[in-house]
Amino acid sequence: MAVRLDVHSTDSIKSIANGLAQDLRQYYTGDREGHTPGTLPEPYYWWECGAMLNTFIGYWHYTGDDQYNSLTMQAMEHQIGDSNAFMPANQTRSLGNDDQAFWGMAAMSAAENKLPDLGKGRPSWLSLAQAVFNTQKSRWDETTCGGGLRWQIFFFNDGYDYKNTISNGCFFNIAARLYKYLGDDTYSQWAERIWDWETSVGLITRDHYFFDGAWATDNCTSFDYKQWTYNAGVHLAGAAAMWNVTQSDVWRNRLEKTIEGLGVFFHENVMIEVTCEIRGTCNVDQRSFKAYLARWMGYTAIVAPWTRDLIVPRLRGSAIAAAAQCTNGTSKTSCNLYWATGEKHDGSFGVGEQMAALEVILNLLYPTVAGPVTHDSGGISHSQPDAGIDPTHHSFPRDSVRLSDKIGGSALTIMVLVGTVAGAWWMLSETDEPHFRRE
């Protein structure tokens, strides 16, 4: 029996969100004996745990239910790493700028929503976001494509020669939100720089579509043209934050165009991961992407109120459809990926599906909460502008990696690059697998 969500009832929304959050919690094993805090079991990659913890922060903020706060704080503290910038040594072999940034965005949400800092000499949530920003700023690469972040942080990892939109978009998201929180022009200048660079190379199109990425090996003249909800989502929130502070027509236009471009991801106001969902090819990572667009739609509705007429019908339509697909598992709260069809199901449940449904329902509560705090409007997290820039800690030395790892990484890079040539034009291809996805 389908779950009936009343989008106009706070009690209905909170009740359903509570059940979905409990189901999501069951996937987390980091607090069990013998497991590592801040990680999910296979097949989930490290970054998705950071994304999930961000969901729990939002859940607490919207509902007032703090039962997951201790878990969240313990998990995030454990993954800070020696550099205090979410770069734990045991993630070196697959650490991308986007992976690090998902943890940085979670820290930024903790600061914006007044999750108490860890204290006892540990870095604050705000300083952790600043550390991610600073380490990524130092990796801005103008040797190819005139700028931009590479996908991978370390040269020996496959994907190092790819400049993808999610890495640059998350960097933009953090810069914009730091600017909103602190009012420091350094962050606004970087936000402008990132957006302008993405536009100049064609990762952001004139119609505000967001392609997956481009190859540094040919100076960003070859693209992966796939479109994903999470690319649009991180840019949506960053543009909303920039408009909120500047009130400028430039950012209003960028934000409005970004919202218009979201149409590719909706059918009758129900969100679809269009690149893979229609043909049933979404991998583990991609099953979570709708969560991030939903999260940032709610954020945008709060910080840019004039967008609500454009956003809320899609948020409500998606939430109703998602709730109707959350009737599985022993708890009858496990959610299906396919919201739009109402019937199609591939028998798969997981963190991504659960997080996506929870986020789209949870963000209906945007009118019931105050906006994200700033330094001047109740923020409690301590600022450290130079966080993460210690040259002895913010990067791993190249000679610390075994030769076998370097050779293996190079071989994988070559194999992936060869295998992706035929699939660049995604609209004309029969495959939906994005290049370099870790599946």
Side-chain angles (χ1 to χ4, degrees):
M1 180 177 178
V3 176
R4 297 190 179 278
L5 170 68
D6 182 351
V7 297
H8 302 290
S9 168
T10 298
D11 289 342
S12 174
I13 297 167
K14 287 186 176 181
S15 176
I16 293 174
N18 177 272
L20 268 56
Q22 290 183 40
D23 200 296
L24 179 62
R25 163 66 178 96
Q26 298 309 307
Y27 289 102
Y28 180 70
T29 60
D31 57 344
R32 299 180 188 175
E33 185 176 355
H35 293 251
T36 303
T39 61
L40 289 164
E42 292 185 354
Y44 302 103
Y45 287 101
W46 175 71
W47 73 271
E48 194 163 343
C49 190
M52 183 192 72
L53 298 173
N54 203 337
T55 295
F56 284 137
I57 292 169
Y59 173 80
W60 163 64
H61 179 62
Y62 279 125
T63 68
D65 181 355
D66 66 358
Q67 65 176 298
Y68 307 114
N69 285 15
S70 295
L71 173 155
T72 297
M73 294 171 73
Q74 180 206 29
M76 290 180 67
E77 180 178 11
H78 197 84
Q79 294 300 322
I80 287 172
D82 292 339
S83 62
N84 290 340
F86 295 116
M87 293 179 63
N90 63 350
Q91 297 297 329
T92 309
R93 293 184 64 181
S94 63
L95 185 59
N97 280 301
D98 53 347
D99 302 322
Q100 181 194 26
F102 266 91
W103 287 85
M105 289 189 293
M108 192 70 227
S109 294
E112 290 171 335
N113 295 325
K114 298 174 66 173
L115 187 70
D117 280 339
L118 296 169
K120 297 181 180 179
R122 303 298 281 154
S124 69
W125 303 125
L126 182 61
S127 73
L128 285 165
Q130 290 172 302
V132 172
F133 169 84
N134 285 331
T135 56
Q136 297 204 341
K137 177 181 67 173
S138 71
R139 300 182 199 123
W140 187 259
D141 169 39
E142 296 186 351
T143 63
T144 62
C145 310
L149 289 181
R150 295 173 181 266
W151 174 34
Q152 288 293 304
I153 294 174
F154 305 113
F155 78 100
F156 48 79
N157 287 336
D158 55 302
Y160 181 76
D161 290 330
Y162 192 57
K163 294 193 173 182
N164 62 345
T165 302
I166 192 59
S167 292
N168 288 281
C170 290
F171 183 31
F172 165 72
N173 180 291
I174 292 171
R177 292 162 67 197
L178 282 171
Y179 176 51
K180 184 180 183 305
Y181 194 101
L182 291 166
D184 185 334
D185 287 342
T186 298
Y187 301 117
S188 68
Q189 290 165 7
W190 269 98
E192 292 274 6
R193 185 177 188 179
I194 300 161
W195 185 283
D196 289 345
W197 176 80
E198 289 187 278
T199 301
S200 69
V201 297
L203 294 178
I204 302 175
T205 73
R206 181 179 300 178
D207 295 322
H208 284 62
Y209 295 136
F210 299 85
F211 295 145
D212 186 80
W215 283 272
T217 47
D218 62 5
N219 207 36
C220 293
T221 58
S222 296
F223 294 82
D224 181 333
Y225 292 96
K226 295 184 181 70
Q227 296 184 59
W228 303 101
T229 50
Y230 74 160
N231 279 326
V234 294
H235 287 86
L236 176 73
M242 292 299 294
W243 174 82
N244 180 274
V245 181
T246 66
Q247 304 281 300
S248 75
D249 290 340
V250 170
W251 281 108
R252 184 185 179 99
N253 180 67
R254 288 171 174 173
L255 179 55
E256 191 168 29
K257 290 292 186 182
T258 298
I259 295 172
E260 290 175 4
L262 296 180
V264 71
F265 301 117
F266 289 86
H267 175 67
E268 296 181 352
N269 283 338
V270 178
M271 194 186 302
I272 300 173
E273 196 61 62
V274 65
T275 296
C276 64
E277 187 176 324
I278 293 173
R279 292 201 290 267
T281 60
C282 299
N283 66 26
V284 172
D285 286 356
Q286 296 152 11
R287 288 170 177 271
S288 73
F289 289 178
K290 290 192 289 188
Y292 318 126
L293 177 54
R295 176 186 299 165
W296 300 126
M297 287 172 69
Y299 177 93
T300 299
I302 293 173
V303 304
W306 58 269
T307 66
R308 293 177 182 179
D309 289 344
L310 303 173
I311 287 177
V312 173
R314 289 172 173 170
L315 201 57
R316 288 177 175 171
S318 298
I320 291 169
Q325 296 298 312
C326 294
T327 60
N328 302 284
T330 56
S331 63
K332 302 302 180 184
T333 54
S334 290
C335 301
N336 174 14
L337 176 69
Y338 301 98
W339 307 341
T341 62
E343 298 176 359
K344 184 177 181 180
H345 194 278
D346 65 356
S348 177
F349 308 101
V351 173
E353 296 94 326
Q354 199 68 20
M355 186 162 44
L358 176 55
E359 285 280 5
V360 78
I361 291 168
L362 197 59
N363 277 275
L364 292 174
L365 296 171
Y366 78 88
T368 69
V369 298
V373 300
T374 69
H375 180 268
D376 296 326
S377 66
I380 60 174
S381 197
H382 175 68
S383 174
Q384 185 181 344
D386 61 350
I389 63 174
D390 184 342
T392 65
H393 288 129
H394 85 276
S395 184
F396 293 97
R398 293 191 176 195
D399 59 5
S400 69
V401 183
R402 295 176 302 170
L403 178 60
S404 59
D405 291 341
K406 296 180 183 180
I407 294 172
S410 298
L412 284 171
T413 302
I414 293 169
M415 291 172 64
V416 173
L417 288 172
V418 170
T420 59
V421 171
W425 294 86
W426 70 273
M427 291 183 182
L428 301 179
S429 173
E430 289 301 315
T431 179
D432 288 317
E433 293 301 312
H435 308 316
F436 302 121
R437 295 288 171 216
R438 301 178 191 132
E439 283 299 298

